[in-house]
Amino acid sequence: MFKRERLMEALLSKRGNGRAKVITGLRRSGKSFLLKELFIPYLLQEGVPGENILLLELDDLRNASLRNPLKLLDKVLSSIPAEGMSYVFVDEIQLCQEVSNPDAAGDVLSFVDACNSLLKRPGVDLYVTGSNSRMLSKDILTRFRDRGDEIRVTPLTIGEILEECPGSPGALFNEYLVYGGLPRVALEKSLEGKAMYLSSVIGETYLGDIVERAGLPSEKGLKDIGRLLATTAGSLTSIENIARTLAAAYQEKFYWEKVRKFIDLFQSSFLIEEVGRYDLIGRRNIEEPHKFYYADNGLMNAFGDFSHFERQQALECAVYNHLRESGYSVEVGVVPLRKMEGGRREMRSYEVDFIATKYLSKLYIQVACSMGDLRKERQEKASLSAIRDSNAKVILLGEDIPPTRDEEGILTESVLDFLKNDCRI
């Protein structure tokens, strides 16, 4: 069983704070498992009486009546003890429907009203999850406004997989780069089974949810955009170019606005994140094109039908997601420099793969498969050497090497070591 220690720590740090804990994240990443199989057993083991723990699963037909927010509120209030702290868990909260207020014509009540009423009652600690086509968990957090705390559930990290799955670290890491960290995938023993599950869940879960939620007439163009974003992940991506590609494929006009809408739907489903660029010399944000990274290597490769796997791309995606899971905000760095070319000084732009920032901590990171020769090493270090501040600079390689630090203070280590050590340098 995966322990999800970081997520458990996040739950415990917000326990009893008088706010709703809204469990968000990619579907199939283990939100319900976190509460039902890890957190509730922890509370029981700690000595919380069973009668002080109430779990309501709204996707269970036996609880269909509780999809009315008034009945949901009544059920909770009638089920929890009057004394002591009670822990209330509502799974799939989005199934709770809006209803008319029987005492006020024209007034509409929702699950938010029910939950806010519970939060006003002393001794109630509330946790909710929700993510399907009607309302993704990101929307739920928005509706709670300042009364909710988000706890983002992400796919498994390579560190979690190494702790629980048999096999050598190198072999497990190589599998992770291709098939990712969705819990069901990590537990599947055969590579064929991993690939089949990922391919099926794309159509049956992710794309279907987007179509239903957005009221689209079909999946037309949606999977193609997912494939294009997968094959170009980590590269500068032009929305206008995607629109032209789809227009040629379907022999009809695909407007920039339509492609932008589809990409935003992918983002709101937690499938991808858009990463902006930042000019480190001019100290300014750069407009499109930006980069996109999938939330999971396996989903990225499945959208590409596993036929476009590139190790460099996979390494970057794994590093990006680990940085985000560790609480960093991430940008792509651009360093414009004048260099001598053919006897003339010309302006060239060098790229820093990631600028990772958390509070007052900042990392500049380059990712490469290897640095097999001196020219390659100089290329990777050029942009880092041009940055004139004292923040940490790291080169991560997709090969098994001992960590080294050069005279400029630039650390070089393996991607796997970096991911296992929670970004500590």
mmCIF file of all heavy atoms in Angstrom, residues 373-415:
data_model
loop_
_atom_site.group_PDB
_atom_site.id
_atom_site.type_symbol
_atom_site.label_atom_id
_atom_site.label_comp_id
_atom_site.label_asym_id
_atom_site.label_seq_id
_atom_site.Cartn_x
_atom_site.Cartn_y
_atom_site.Cartn_z
ATOM 1 N N ASP A 373 30.421 14.679 -23.981
ATOM 2 C CA ASP A 373 31.642 15.317 -24.450
ATOM 3 C C ASP A 373 31.716 16.744 -23.921
ATOM 4 O O ASP A 373 30.754 17.278 -23.385
ATOM 5 C CB ASP A 373 31.715 15.306 -25.975
ATOM 6 C CG ASP A 373 30.509 15.961 -26.617
ATOM 7 O OD1 ASP A 373 30.168 17.101 -26.249
ATOM 8 O OD2 ASP A 373 29.887 15.328 -27.495
ATOM 9 N N LEU A 374 32.880 17.363 -24.071
ATOM 10 C CA LEU A 374 33.121 18.696 -23.528
ATOM 11 C C LEU A 374 32.215 19.734 -24.168
ATOM 12 O O LEU A 374 31.739 20.660 -23.509
ATOM 13 C CB LEU A 374 34.589 19.073 -23.736
ATOM 14 C CG LEU A 374 35.057 20.401 -23.117
ATOM 15 C CD1 LEU A 374 34.839 20.373 -21.610
ATOM 16 C CD2 LEU A 374 36.521 20.649 -23.450
ATOM 17 N N ARG A 375 31.940 19.603 -25.470
ATOM 18 C CA ARG A 375 31.078 20.572 -26.157
ATOM 19 C C ARG A 375 29.675 20.553 -25.580
ATOM 20 O O ARG A 375 29.062 21.594 -25.362
ATOM 21 C CB ARG A 375 31.046 20.258 -27.645
ATOM 22 C CG ARG A 375 30.204 21.240 -28.466
ATOM 23 C CD ARG A 375 30.234 20.887 -29.922
ATOM 24 N NE ARG A 375 29.405 21.788 -30.704
ATOM 25 C CZ ARG A 375 29.212 21.668 -32.004
ATOM 26 N NH1 ARG A 375 29.799 20.685 -32.686
ATOM 27 N NH2 ARG A 375 28.437 22.531 -32.639
ATOM 28 N N LYS A 376 29.153 19.368 -25.337
ATOM 29 C CA LYS A 376 27.821 19.244 -24.755
ATOM 30 C C LYS A 376 27.799 19.851 -23.359
ATOM 31 O O LYS A 376 26.845 20.536 -22.976
ATOM 32 C CB LYS A 376 27.417 17.770 -24.704
ATOM 33 C CG LYS A 376 26.061 17.500 -24.048
ATOM 34 C CD LYS A 376 24.924 18.046 -24.865
ATOM 35 C CE LYS A 376 23.590 17.609 -24.284
ATOM 36 N NZ LYS A 376 22.448 18.203 -25.009
ATOM 37 N N GLU A 377 28.852 19.629 -22.578
ATOM 38 C CA GLU A 377 28.914 20.176 -21.222
ATOM 39 C C GLU A 377 28.904 21.700 -21.261
ATOM 40 O O GLU A 377 28.202 22.358 -20.493
ATOM 41 C CB GLU A 377 30.168 19.674 -20.518
ATOM 42 C CG GLU A 377 30.293 20.169 -19.085
ATOM 43 C CD GLU A 377 31.488 19.571 -18.376
ATOM 44 O OE1 GLU A 377 32.162 18.703 -18.972
ATOM 45 O OE2 GLU A 377 31.754 19.973 -17.239
ATOM 46 N N ARG A 378 29.679 22.293 -22.178
ATOM 47 C CA ARG A 378 29.698 23.736 -22.296
ATOM 48 C C ARG A 378 28.339 24.284 -22.701
ATOM 49 O O ARG A 378 27.908 25.340 -22.226
ATOM 50 C CB ARG A 378 30.755 24.141 -23.324
ATOM 51 C CG ARG A 378 32.189 23.985 -22.834
ATOM 52 C CD ARG A 378 33.161 24.246 -23.956
ATOM 53 N NE ARG A 378 34.556 24.169 -23.489
ATOM 54 C CZ ARG A 378 35.599 24.121 -24.308
ATOM 55 N NH1 ARG A 378 35.424 24.149 -25.624
ATOM 56 N NH2 ARG A 378 36.817 24.059 -23.792
ATOM 57 N N GLN A 379 27.652 23.561 -23.579
ATOM 58 C CA GLN A 379 26.327 23.990 -24.036
ATOM 59 C C GLN A 379 25.336 24.030 -22.880
ATOM 60 O O GLN A 379 24.563 24.983 -22.742
ATOM 61 C CB GLN A 379 25.838 23.045 -25.131
ATOM 62 C CG GLN A 379 24.443 23.349 -25.659
ATOM 63 C CD GLN A 379 24.007 22.318 -26.689
ATOM 64 O OE1 GLN A 379 24.813 21.760 -27.413
ATOM 65 N NE2 GLN A 379 22.711 22.052 -26.733
ATOM 66 N N GLU A 380 25.342 23.006 -22.053
ATOM 67 C CA GLU A 380 24.403 22.939 -20.939
ATOM 68 C C GLU A 380 24.720 23.986 -19.872
ATOM 69 O O GLU A 380 23.834 24.516 -19.216
ATOM 70 C CB GLU A 380 24.406 21.535 -20.313
ATOM 71 C CG GLU A 380 23.868 20.443 -21.214
ATOM 72 C CD GLU A 380 22.413 20.659 -21.600
ATOM 73 O OE1 GLU A 380 21.681 21.328 -20.839
ATOM 74 O OE2 GLU A 380 21.998 20.168 -22.659
ATOM 75 N N LYS A 381 26.010 24.304 -19.705
ATOM 76 C CA LYS A 381 26.398 25.242 -18.654
ATOM 77 C C LYS A 381 26.329 26.698 -19.082
ATOM 78 O O LYS A 381 26.359 27.596 -18.232
ATOM 79 C CB LYS A 381 27.810 24.921 -18.164
ATOM 80 C CG LYS A 381 27.909 23.642 -17.344
ATOM 81 C CD LYS A 381 29.295 23.470 -16.758
ATOM 82 C CE LYS A 381 29.353 22.225 -15.866
ATOM 83 N NZ LYS A 381 30.698 22.045 -15.269
ATOM 84 N N ALA A 382 26.227 26.934 -20.391
ATOM 85 C CA ALA A 382 26.315 28.312 -20.883
ATOM 86 C C ALA A 382 25.254 29.215 -20.274
ATOM 87 O O ALA A 382 25.555 30.319 -19.791
ATOM 88 C CB ALA A 382 26.206 28.324 -22.410
ATOM 89 N N SER A 383 24.007 28.767 -20.305
ATOM 90 C CA SER A 383 22.931 29.621 -19.777
ATOM 91 C C SER A 383 23.039 29.776 -18.272
ATOM 92 O O SER A 383 22.793 30.858 -17.723
ATOM 93 C CB SER A 383 21.564 29.047 -20.155
ATOM 94 O OG SER A 383 21.428 27.726 -19.676
ATOM 95 N N LEU A 384 23.425 28.714 -17.568
ATOM 96 C CA LEU A 384 23.551 28.802 -16.107
ATOM 97 C C LEU A 384 24.691 29.735 -15.717
ATOM 98 O O LEU A 384 24.574 30.520 -14.767
ATOM 99 C CB LEU A 384 23.785 27.411 -15.514
ATOM 100 C CG LEU A 384 22.658 26.387 -15.687
ATOM 101 C CD1 LEU A 384 23.042 25.062 -15.051
ATOM 102 C CD2 LEU A 384 21.353 26.892 -15.091
ATOM 103 N N SER A 385 25.790 29.668 -16.453
ATOM 104 C CA SER A 385 26.942 30.514 -16.137
ATOM 105 C C SER A 385 26.635 31.984 -16.353
ATOM 106 O O SER A 385 27.233 32.859 -15.712
ATOM 107 C CB SER A 385 28.135 30.104 -17.003
ATOM 108 O OG SER A 385 28.516 28.774 -16.734
ATOM 109 N N ALA A 386 25.673 32.270 -17.259
ATOM 110 C CA ALA A 386 25.347 33.666 -17.564
ATOM 111 C C ALA A 386 24.462 34.305 -16.503
ATOM 112 O O ALA A 386 24.300 35.523 -16.490
ATOM 113 C CB ALA A 386 24.652 33.738 -18.922
ATOM 114 N N ILE A 387 23.886 33.512 -15.610
ATOM 115 C CA ILE A 387 23.024 34.046 -14.561
ATOM 116 C C ILE A 387 23.904 34.524 -13.410
ATOM 117 O O ILE A 387 24.647 33.746 -12.810
ATOM 118 C CB ILE A 387 22.029 32.972 -14.072
ATOM 119 C CG1 ILE A 387 21.187 32.465 -15.245
ATOM 120 C CG2 ILE A 387 21.127 33.535 -12.985
ATOM 121 C CD1 ILE A 387 20.342 31.255 -14.907
ATOM 122 N N ARG A 388 23.788 35.797 -13.090
ATOM 123 C CA ARG A 388 24.732 36.402 -12.160
ATOM 124 C C ARG A 388 24.205 36.549 -10.741
ATOM 125 O O ARG A 388 24.596 37.461 -10.020
ATOM 126 C CB ARG A 388 25.166 37.777 -12.687
ATOM 127 C CG ARG A 388 25.852 37.742 -14.044
ATOM 128 C CD ARG A 388 27.094 36.876 -14.010
ATOM 129 N NE ARG A 388 27.792 36.852 -15.299
ATOM 130 C CZ ARG A 388 28.834 36.096 -15.556
ATOM 131 N NH1 ARG A 388 29.306 35.293 -14.615
ATOM 132 N NH2 ARG A 388 29.404 36.122 -16.741
ATOM 133 N N ASP A 389 23.318 35.697 -10.319
ATOM 134 C CA ASP A 389 22.902 35.767 -8.922
ATOM 135 C C ASP A 389 23.419 34.541 -8.186
ATOM 136 O O ASP A 389 24.053 33.659 -8.767
ATOM 137 C CB ASP A 389 21.385 35.920 -8.793
ATOM 138 C CG ASP A 389 20.608 34.741 -9.357
ATOM 139 O OD1 ASP A 389 21.074 33.598 -9.201
ATOM 140 O OD2 ASP A 389 19.537 34.958 -9.943
ATOM 141 N N SER A 390 23.121 34.460 -6.893
ATOM 142 C CA SER A 390 23.720 33.425 -6.044
ATOM 143 C C SER A 390 22.822 32.215 -5.836
ATOM 144 O O SER A 390 23.131 31.348 -5.022
ATOM 145 C CB SER A 390 24.075 34.027 -4.679
ATOM 146 O OG SER A 390 22.902 34.538 -4.044
ATOM 147 N N ASN A 391 21.716 32.141 -6.570
ATOM 148 C CA ASN A 391 20.818 30.998 -6.397
ATOM 149 C C ASN A 391 21.440 29.721 -6.960
ATOM 150 O O ASN A 391 22.317 29.762 -7.827
ATOM 151 C CB ASN A 391 19.484 31.277 -7.087
ATOM 152 C CG ASN A 391 18.699 32.363 -6.391
ATOM 153 O OD1 ASN A 391 18.373 32.256 -5.214
ATOM 154 N ND2 ASN A 391 18.417 33.452 -7.108
ATOM 155 N N ALA A 392 20.947 28.596 -6.455
ATOM 156 C CA ALA A 392 21.513 27.296 -6.823
ATOM 157 C C ALA A 392 21.293 26.996 -8.302
ATOM 158 O O ALA A 392 20.225 27.260 -8.854
ATOM 159 C CB ALA A 392 20.887 26.204 -5.962
ATOM 160 N N LYS A 393 22.315 26.403 -8.921
ATOM 161 C CA LYS A 393 22.261 26.016 -10.328
ATOM 162 C C LYS A 393 22.573 24.532 -10.426
ATOM 163 O O LYS A 393 23.555 24.050 -9.855
ATOM 164 C CB LYS A 393 23.250 26.843 -11.147
ATOM 165 C CG LYS A 393 23.026 28.355 -11.027
ATOM 166 C CD LYS A 393 24.120 29.126 -11.750
ATOM 167 C CE LYS A 393 23.896 30.629 -11.632
ATOM 168 N NZ LYS A 393 24.101 31.121 -10.251
ATOM 169 N N VAL A 394 21.716 23.801 -11.167
ATOM 170 C CA VAL A 394 21.797 22.341 -11.187
ATOM 171 C C VAL A 394 21.677 21.834 -12.614
ATOM 172 O O VAL A 394 20.832 22.310 -13.383
ATOM 173 C CB VAL A 394 20.675 21.700 -10.338
ATOM 174 C CG1 VAL A 394 20.911 20.197 -10.185
ATOM 175 C CG2 VAL A 394 20.563 22.361 -8.980
ATOM 176 N N ILE A 395 22.498 20.861 -12.967
ATOM 177 C CA ILE A 395 22.339 20.109 -14.214
ATOM 178 C C ILE A 395 21.966 18.685 -13.836
ATOM 179 O O ILE A 395 22.687 18.026 -13.065
ATOM 180 C CB ILE A 395 23.633 20.113 -15.044
ATOM 181 C CG1 ILE A 395 23.980 21.543 -15.476
ATOM 182 C CG2 ILE A 395 23.476 19.220 -16.272
ATOM 183 C CD1 ILE A 395 25.299 21.648 -16.219
ATOM 184 N N LEU A 396 20.843 18.223 -14.352
ATOM 185 C CA LEU A 396 20.354 16.879 -14.046
ATOM 186 C C LEU A 396 20.512 16.000 -15.279
ATOM 187 O O LEU A 396 20.063 16.358 -16.373
ATOM 188 C CB LEU A 396 18.878 16.937 -13.627
ATOM 189 C CG LEU A 396 18.568 17.795 -12.404
ATOM 190 C CD1 LEU A 396 17.072 17.827 -12.145
ATOM 191 C CD2 LEU A 396 19.305 17.281 -11.176
ATOM 192 N N LEU A 397 21.140 14.847 -15.089
ATOM 193 C CA LEU A 397 21.413 13.949 -16.203
ATOM 194 C C LEU A 397 20.643 12.644 -16.047
ATOM 195 O O LEU A 397 20.472 12.133 -14.934
ATOM 196 C CB LEU A 397 22.912 13.646 -16.276
ATOM 197 C CG LEU A 397 23.847 14.855 -16.455
ATOM 198 C CD1 LEU A 397 25.290 14.388 -16.550
ATOM 199 C CD2 LEU A 397 23.455 15.663 -17.680
ATOM 200 N N GLY A 398 20.214 12.111 -17.172
ATOM 201 C CA GLY A 398 19.461 10.856 -17.164
ATOM 202 C C GLY A 398 20.353 9.647 -17.157
ATOM 203 O O GLY A 398 20.064 8.646 -17.829
ATOM 204 N N GLU A 399 21.452 9.703 -16.440
ATOM 205 C CA GLU A 399 22.365 8.578 -16.319
ATOM 206 C C GLU A 399 22.857 8.497 -14.882
ATOM 207 O O GLU A 399 22.770 9.463 -14.123
ATOM 208 C CB GLU A 399 23.542 8.738 -17.284
ATOM 209 C CG GLU A 399 24.294 10.050 -17.151
ATOM 210 C CD GLU A 399 25.326 10.247 -18.249
ATOM 211 O OE1 GLU A 399 25.431 9.378 -19.127
ATOM 212 O OE2 GLU A 399 26.031 11.270 -18.216
ATOM 213 N N ASP A 400 23.340 7.341 -14.515
ATOM 214 C CA ASP A 400 23.752 7.090 -13.134
ATOM 215 C C ASP A 400 25.155 7.649 -12.923
ATOM 216 O O ASP A 400 26.154 7.065 -13.357
ATOM 217 C CB ASP A 400 23.729 5.589 -12.850
ATOM 218 C CG ASP A 400 24.001 5.273 -11.383
ATOM 219 O OD1 ASP A 400 23.941 6.217 -10.565
ATOM 220 O OD2 ASP A 400 24.288 4.103 -11.066
ATOM 221 N N ILE A 401 25.233 8.814 -12.265
ATOM 222 C CA ILE A 401 26.521 9.464 -12.027
ATOM 223 C C ILE A 401 26.586 9.926 -10.583
ATOM 224 O O ILE A 401 25.564 10.221 -9.971
ATOM 225 C CB ILE A 401 26.730 10.682 -12.957
ATOM 226 C CG1 ILE A 401 25.614 11.721 -12.715
ATOM 227 C CG2 ILE A 401 26.783 10.260 -14.415
ATOM 228 C CD1 ILE A 401 25.891 13.065 -13.315
ATOM 229 N N PRO A 402 27.770 10.022 -10.017
ATOM 230 C CA PRO A 402 27.888 10.608 -8.672
ATOM 231 C C PRO A 402 27.744 12.121 -8.772
ATOM 232 O O PRO A 402 28.116 12.729 -9.783
ATOM 233 C CB PRO A 402 29.313 10.223 -8.234
ATOM 234 C CG PRO A 402 30.065 10.072 -9.517
ATOM 235 C CD PRO A 402 29.078 9.534 -10.519
ATOM 236 N N PRO A 403 27.214 12.771 -7.759
ATOM 237 C CA PRO A 403 27.077 14.230 -7.805
ATOM 238 C C PRO A 403 28.439 14.915 -7.763
ATOM 239 O O PRO A 403 29.335 14.508 -7.020
ATOM 240 C CB PRO A 403 26.247 14.544 -6.561
ATOM 241 C CG PRO A 403 26.449 13.381 -5.651
ATOM 242 C CD PRO A 403 26.669 12.199 -6.522
ATOM 243 N N THR A 404 28.585 15.962 -8.580
ATOM 244 C CA THR A 404 29.809 16.751 -8.593
ATOM 245 C C THR A 404 29.439 18.228 -8.631
ATOM 246 O O THR A 404 28.351 18.600 -9.066
ATOM 247 C CB THR A 404 30.690 16.425 -9.813
ATOM 248 O OG1 THR A 404 29.960 16.715 -11.018
ATOM 249 C CG2 THR A 404 31.109 14.972 -9.821
ATOM 250 N N ARG A 405 30.350 19.081 -8.172
ATOM 251 C CA ARG A 405 30.132 20.524 -8.208
ATOM 252 C C ARG A 405 31.400 21.177 -8.776
ATOM 253 O O ARG A 405 32.496 20.919 -8.310
ATOM 254 C CB ARG A 405 29.830 21.063 -6.809
ATOM 255 C CG ARG A 405 29.190 22.450 -6.805
ATOM 256 C CD ARG A 405 28.911 22.916 -5.381
ATOM 257 N NE ARG A 405 27.962 22.088 -4.680
ATOM 258 C CZ ARG A 405 26.638 22.270 -4.698
ATOM 259 N NH1 ARG A 405 26.120 23.249 -5.422
ATOM 260 N NH2 ARG A 405 25.846 21.473 -4.005
ATOM 261 N N ASP A 406 31.208 22.041 -9.806
ATOM 262 C CA ASP A 406 32.373 22.649 -10.442
ATOM 263 C C ASP A 406 32.789 23.936 -9.739
ATOM 264 O O ASP A 406 32.205 24.327 -8.716
ATOM 265 C CB ASP A 406 32.109 22.881 -11.936
ATOM 266 C CG ASP A 406 31.061 23.961 -12.200
ATOM 267 O OD1 ASP A 406 30.656 24.671 -11.253
ATOM 268 O OD2 ASP A 406 30.633 24.100 -13.357
ATOM 269 N N GLU A 407 33.801 24.609 -10.308
ATOM 270 C CA GLU A 407 34.340 25.801 -9.657
ATOM 271 C C GLU A 407 33.354 26.955 -9.635
ATOM 272 O O GLU A 407 33.502 27.905 -8.849
ATOM 273 C CB GLU A 407 35.637 26.239 -10.357
ATOM 274 C CG GLU A 407 35.484 26.716 -11.797
ATOM 275 C CD GLU A 407 35.409 25.561 -12.792
ATOM 276 O OE1 GLU A 407 35.477 24.387 -12.343
ATOM 277 O OE2 GLU A 407 35.289 25.830 -13.997
ATOM 278 N N GLU A 408 32.319 26.927 -10.487
ATOM 279 C CA GLU A 408 31.283 27.961 -10.475
ATOM 280 C C GLU A 408 30.159 27.641 -9.498
ATOM 281 O O GLU A 408 29.225 28.423 -9.340
ATOM 282 C CB GLU A 408 30.697 28.144 -11.872
ATOM 283 C CG GLU A 408 31.657 28.665 -12.916
ATOM 284 C CD GLU A 408 30.960 28.877 -14.248
ATOM 285 O OE1 GLU A 408 30.100 29.783 -14.347
ATOM 286 O OE2 GLU A 408 31.249 28.119 -15.191
ATOM 287 N N GLY A 409 30.241 26.483 -8.875
ATOM 288 C CA GLY A 409 29.202 26.076 -7.934
ATOM 289 C C GLY A 409 28.043 25.349 -8.583
ATOM 290 O O GLY A 409 27.035 25.071 -7.916
ATOM 291 N N ILE A 410 28.149 25.016 -9.867
ATOM 292 C CA ILE A 410 27.069 24.320 -10.561
ATOM 293 C C ILE A 410 27.120 22.843 -10.191
ATOM 294 O O ILE A 410 28.142 22.170 -10.376
ATOM 295 C CB ILE A 410 27.178 24.496 -12.082
ATOM 296 C CG1 ILE A 410 27.030 25.977 -12.459
ATOM 297 C CG2 ILE A 410 26.112 23.661 -12.793
ATOM 298 C CD1 ILE A 410 27.250 26.261 -13.938
ATOM 299 N N LEU A 411 26.018 22.353 -9.660
ATOM 300 C CA LEU A 411 25.912 20.950 -9.256
ATOM 301 C C LEU A 411 25.437 20.107 -10.436
ATOM 302 O O LEU A 411 24.498 20.485 -11.135
ATOM 303 C CB LEU A 411 24.926 20.814 -8.095
ATOM 304 C CG LEU A 411 24.562 19.390 -7.654
ATOM 305 C CD1 LEU A 411 25.756 18.693 -7.024
ATOM 306 C CD2 LEU A 411 23.373 19.416 -6.683
ATOM 307 N N THR A 412 26.085 18.979 -10.647
ATOM 308 C CA THR A 412 25.633 18.002 -11.645
ATOM 309 C C THR A 412 25.341 16.700 -10.928
ATOM 310 O O THR A 412 26.191 16.180 -10.192
ATOM 311 C CB THR A 412 26.707 17.777 -12.725
ATOM 312 O OG1 THR A 412 26.995 19.012 -13.392
ATOM 313 C CG2 THR A 412 26.220 16.768 -13.764
ATOM 314 N N GLU A 413 24.131 16.181 -11.115
ATOM 315 C CA GLU A 413 23.763 14.900 -10.513
ATOM 316 C C GLU A 413 22.732 14.207 -11.380
ATOM 317 O O GLU A 413 22.221 14.774 -12.360
ATOM 318 C CB GLU A 413 23.232 15.080 -9.083
ATOM 319 C CG GLU A 413 21.898 15.781 -8.972
ATOM 320 C CD GLU A 413 21.358 15.757 -7.544
ATOM 321 O OE1 GLU A 413 21.875 14.996 -6.719
ATOM 322 O OE2 GLU A 413 20.405 16.507 -7.272
ATOM 323 N N SER A 414 22.404 12.981 -11.035
ATOM 324 C CA SER A 414 21.442 12.222 -11.839
ATOM 325 C C SER A 414 20.020 12.689 -11.543
ATOM 326 O O SER A 414 19.707 13.123 -10.425
ATOM 327 C CB SER A 414 21.559 10.722 -11.554
ATOM 328 O OG SER A 414 20.993 10.398 -10.292
ATOM 329 N N VAL A 415 19.159 12.590 -12.548
ATOM 330 C CA VAL A 415 17.750 12.928 -12.364
ATOM 331 C C VAL A 415 17.147 12.078 -11.256
ATOM 332 O O VAL A 415 16.424 12.580 -10.389
ATOM 333 C CB VAL A 415 16.969 12.733 -13.681
ATOM 334 C CG1 VAL A 415 15.463 12.862 -13.429
ATOM 335 C CG2 VAL A 415 17.410 13.749 -14.732
#
